[in-house]
Amino acid sequence: MDKIERTLGQLFQGRDFEKQYETLKQQVLAYSPVQDFLKANNEDINEQIINQNLSKLYEFMTEHQKYQDKKDTLMPGYAPRLSLNGDYITVTYYPTEEKIQADRQRAIEKRIRSLYMPKQIMEATMDDFTIDNESRSAAFLAAGEFLSTYQKGSTGMQKGLYIHGSFGTGKSYLLGAMAKDLALKGISTTLVYLPEFMREIKQSIADNSVGEKIQFAKETEILMLDDIGAESMTTWTRDEVLGAILQFRMQEELPTFFSSNYSMEHLENHLMFSNNGNEERMKARRIMERVRYLAKEVELDGRNRRY
C-alpha cells in the first residue's frame, strides 16, 4: 500500500498536478473492471466518493493488470477485488484458482510421508494402474475394497495388503496410488522403503535416535513397508526393529501394508536365517504371525513394467 501511495505522490509532483491528476483519474475510470464495479454500485457511489478513493481504484487497476498479465501482485497467488463499505472503497485480495489448487496439492502431499521412496511412486494414482491380467484385477479390487471401507478412527482391525510378485510388476506403484487416494480423503500414510530404513536405523545407533525412528513407524496412522525381504536383516533389526514395529501395530490394530518379491511362505524362510547363517525358525515364524495378522496376501503378477 505504501508503494502505491508513493507512486501516486510522484505522479502528482510538479506544476501540472491537476492535469496529471485528471489524466490518471480518466485512465482509472476507463479501466473496464473499474467501470463494472462503478456500474454495479452506481446508486451508492458519487463523484466525491470516487475522488476520495481514487488511490484505491488505482491500486486495484495496477494490481489487476499484473494479475491479468500473470505478474507478481502485492500478494502473489491472490487476485484483487473491489468492495464498497459506506463511503469507502477497499481492495481485498482473494486466492486465485491456481493457488487453491496448489494449496490443495501441498495438503495432499503433507498427508503422504515418504522415506526413501522414488518420485514416480509418490505421483502414482489408482486411475493409472494397469489392469491386464487376472492377478492385477484381483490386486486392484483388494486395494479398492480397503479404500472404500477404511474409516479413520474406526474400531476393529482393518487388514492391509501384503502384495508380492516378481520385479517391476507395480507393487510399489499400487502402494503409492493407495496412499494418494487416502490423502485425498484426509488420511495420512507413511511409505517406507524398508532396506534403506533399516540401514538408517543401524546408523542411528551413534546418535541415539533409534528409538525415535522406531516409534514413528509404530504410531503412524497407516504404514506401508515397501520391499520387505530385500533388506540385509540381522537378528537385531528383525526382532528388535521390525518385530517391535509389527507387534505395536498389531496390538493397536493399525493398518499396515507390505510389498515384497517373496510370498509370505518364502519370506518366512528368508527371515529364518540371520546374517551369521544361524537358523532361527521360531523367531521367523513369530514375525510372520504378525504380518499375517496385519495383512491379506495378494499376488501381483505380469511383465516387468520398468522397461
Side-chain angles (χ1 to χ4, degrees):
M1 188 54 219
D2 289 342
K3 183 178 178 182
I4 298 292
E5 291 178 346
R6 282 200 304 272
T7 303
L8 283 171
Q10 291 167 0
L11 287 170
F12 295 157
Q13 286 177 355
R15 296 182 217 170
D16 296 329
F17 167 80
E18 290 185 7
K19 183 178 178 181
Q20 290 175 339
Y21 177 87
E22 191 60 32
T23 299
L24 182 62
K25 178 179 176 181
Q26 294 309 314
Q27 181 184 350
V28 170
L29 295 179
Y31 190 58
S32 179
V34 172
Q35 289 182 348
D36 293 340
F37 170 75
L38 296 177
K39 287 177 184 177
N41 296 275
N42 66 324
E43 294 182 1
D44 301 308
I45 294 180
N46 53 36
E47 190 73 17
Q48 181 180 348
I49 291 176
I50 290 174
N51 288 335
Q52 71 186 25
N53 290 279
L54 186 62
S55 63
K56 288 296 182 182
L57 294 173
Y58 177 80
E59 176 188 345
F60 170 79
M61 180 186 73
T62 55
E63 295 304 302
H64 190 267
Q65 287 173 334
K66 291 177 188 175
Y67 166 67
Q68 295 283 57
D69 295 339
K70 300 191 181 303
K71 296 178 180 178
D72 282 343
T73 61
L74 284 173
M75 298 179 64
Y78 291 81
R81 176 185 291 156
L82 287 170
S83 58
L84 181 66
N85 298 297
D87 291 342
Y88 295 95
I89 296 173
T90 59
V91 182
T92 57
Y93 292 84
Y94 65 95
T96 64
E97 185 61 31
E98 293 82 0
K99 177 173 173 54
I100 292 171
Q101 291 298 329
D103 288 347
R104 184 176 295 137
Q105 184 61 32
R106 279 192 291 271
I108 291 169
E109 290 170 357
K110 282 183 180 179
R111 296 189 196 111
I112 306 176
R113 289 170 287 193
S114 169
L115 299 177
Y116 327 111
M117 297 294 289
K119 182 180 179 181
Q120 64 266 30
I121 300 305
M122 304 309 299
E123 297 174 348
T125 66
M126 294 296 289
D127 288 341
D128 291 333
F129 182 79
T130 303
I131 303 172
D132 56 10
N133 63 40
E134 189 176 334
S135 76
R136 296 182 72 80
S137 296
F140 183 83
L141 287 172
E145 182 179 331
F146 179 88
L147 293 172
S148 63
T149 58
Y150 178 71
Q151 296 292 327
K152 186 174 181 177
S154 61
T155 58
M157 180 64 191
Q158 289 185 262
K159 281 194 172 190
L161 300 178
Y162 180 95
I163 306 169
H164 71 91
S166 55
F167 294 100
T169 55
K171 302 179 295 295
S172 302
Y173 188 94
L174 184 55
L175 291 182
M178 291 186 71
K180 175 66 70 65
D181 194 279
L182 289 164
L184 289 168
K185 299 173 182 176
I187 299 166
S188 298
T189 302
T190 301
L191 290 99
V192 178
Y193 180 59
L194 195 57
E196 192 59 41
F197 179 71
M198 288 302 188
R199 276 193 286 272
E200 183 173 318
I201 286 289
K202 293 172 189 175
Q203 295 169 0
S204 299
I205 295 173
D207 61 9
N208 293 318
S209 62
V210 172
E212 179 183 340
K213 290 180 171 65
I214 293 175
Q215 198 65 28
F216 171 74
K218 282 181 176 180
E219 295 178 350
T220 190
E221 184 176 353
I222 293 180
L223 178 65
M224 296 181 172
L225 297 175
D226 185 49
D227 219 359
I228 185 171
E231 69 284 350
S232 177
M233 193 73 73
T234 66
T235 55
W236 178 72
T237 54
R238 180 193 62 197
D239 301 332
E240 303 303 323
V241 180
L242 181 61
I245 291 169
L246 299 183
Q247 179 65 24
F248 181 91
R249 299 189 67 79
M250 184 176 72
Q251 290 174 340
E252 298 299 317
E253 297 186 332
L254 296 172
T256 309
F257 291 76
F258 308 84
S259 76
S260 181
N261 295 128
Y262 294 105
S263 66
M264 285 189 178
E265 180 182 355
H266 290 142
L267 180 64
E268 184 169 335
N269 293 331
H270 172 76
L271 295 174
M272 193 181 302
F273 296 95
S274 62
N275 57 345
N276 58 19
N278 293 333
E279 181 177 327
E280 297 177 316
R281 187 179 300 272
M282 191 59 66
K283 290 185 177 180
R285 188 173 296 169
R286 188 176 296 122
I287 293 290
M288 290 310 301
E289 282 181 359
R290 296 165 185 166
V291 172
R292 289 187 175 96
Y293 180 87
L294 288 165
K296 178 174 70 172
E297 187 170 15
V298 175
E299 184 176 10
L300 187 57
D301 202 358
R303 63 179 176 84
N304 190 330
R305 295 167 190 274
R306 292 175 183 162
Y307 307 106

